[in-house]
Amino acid sequence: QVQLVESGGGLVQTGDSLRLSCAASGLTFNRYTMAWFRQAPGKEREFVAALHWTPIRTYAGSLKGRFTIDRDSANNTLYLQMNSLKPEDTAVYYCAVDPAGRLSRSETRYDYWGQGAQVTVSS
């Protein structure tokens, strides 16, 4: 059974940095993609970044340069380093896994999800 547990969220000020973690267990697939999505209040969930097994990385265009996705394979932990945070980055951040190993920005490709971590950026 796949379990994803996010941590590291919190309340920060504009310009601060924050690193989210996603501890994964039960990943028995040979090749898979891990990703971050976020959902702001009143908005649809949107793609943030994905890390392919190759390991190609892809980012939402507006976030590239500020956000970095990485993984510690030994500990099965996915990270999202977020720098120069802005109030519009306020959202619940979700970790997700595509067991088919595709490199997709569509949430419909991801079968497993964490419970989410709240990130709030004050102005």
Side-chain angles (χ1 to χ4, degrees):
Q1 182 179 358
V2 175
Q3 286 191 323
L4 304 172
V5 180
E6 299 97 335
S7 61
L11 173 63
V12 297
Q13 295 185 338
T14 297
D16 285 351
S17 296
L18 203 60
R19 188 177 78 161
L20 300 180
S21 300
C22 172
S25 61
L27 293 175
T28 59
F29 324 109
N30 289 330
R31 297 172 178 176
Y32 55 91
T33 298
M34 298 188 76
W36 290 98
F37 288 78
R38 69 183 184 183
Q39 187 167 21
K43 295 187 177 181
E44 294 186 351
R45 189 155 54 187
E46 65 175 359
F47 172 80
V48 173
L51 178 55
H52 196 238
W53 56 269
T54 49
I56 296 172
R57 292 165 173 80
T58 185
Y59 297 90
S62 61
L63 301 178
K64 192 173 184 179
R66 292 196 300 123
F67 288 17
T68 302
I69 188 171
D70 209 348
R71 187 173 82 186
D72 180 345
S73 298
N75 294 314
N76 268 342
T77 301
L78 182 73
Y79 299 102
L80 183 68
Q81 178 67 43
M82 304 182 291
N83 298 328
S84 302
L85 283 163
K86 305 174 182 180
E88 50 263 44
D89 295 318
T90 294
V92 177
Y93 285 72
Y94 296 92
C95 171
V97 170
D98 172 13
R102 296 162 291 196
L103 187 59
S104 174
R105 300 182 177 208
S106 172
E107 62 177 288
T108 62
R109 299 292 191 180
Y110 293 83
D111 295 336
Y112 302 99
W113 294 83
Q115 82 288 349
Q118 177 69 48
V119 173
T120 303
V121 185
S122 64
S123 57

